[in-house]
Amino acid sequence: MADGRLHCYLCPRHCHLGEGQSGFCFIRKNQAGRMLQLGYGRPAALQIDPIEKKPLHHFLPGSTILSLGTVGCNMGCFFCQNWDISKARADSAHTAELSPEQVVTLALQNRTPSIAFTYNEPTIWGEYVVDIAREAHRHGINTVMVTNGYITRDAFFDIYAHVDAANVDLKAFTEEFYSRQTLTHLAPLLETLKWLRHETNVWLEVTN
């Protein structure tokens, strides 16, 4: 920006970051004029789950899925069940170090036909999502976004071009609820649902 700050276009918050500042999500930071994604290669949660736990009920039912998440979130839900990672900062959380190739190797070793980006909001670590997905597809492994749907159109297609299925969490259906309980807005989420349904081939399920 003209004043030297960086404009993050990833989600509808459009954070403007001065030197050394992190966005609302905590893991996108302006360091020396460059946007750093502090969650890349650093999962804070890793688990083999039944796919129904994502929850996906009509995408490879009965299968297992390798699930991973980092830290941070672009929403501020007062009822978050994963608050210990969604409100953690990258430098304060216990994280592993796993390259995209190592994540896919884990999936192959555990014979999971899919990998889920979940636990915290995967949109905010979209670069890691894309690189894992590219490697996964080279090995015939599916990819799943478990998401709050809070993403801009600028970033949407860059990420979802590499995603096979998504479960979007529609937490409520009023702007009042979203603004007071999640510190976000309903309209951008509804736009994401329409893009997924009408402009991609991503398998879509909705949690409410």
Side-chain angles (χ1 to χ4, degrees), residues 48 129 144 175 179 185:
I48 304 292
V129 166
V144 174
E175 170 60 19
S179 62
H185 300 284

Side-chain angles (χ1 to χ4, degrees), residues 30-49:
N30 179 349
Q31 186 164 310
R34 298 175 62 223
M35 182 77 76
L36 295 187
Q37 199 262 82
L38 303 177
Y40 191 99
R42 299 179 62 189
L46 195 63
Q47 181 70 38
I48 304 292
D49 291 320

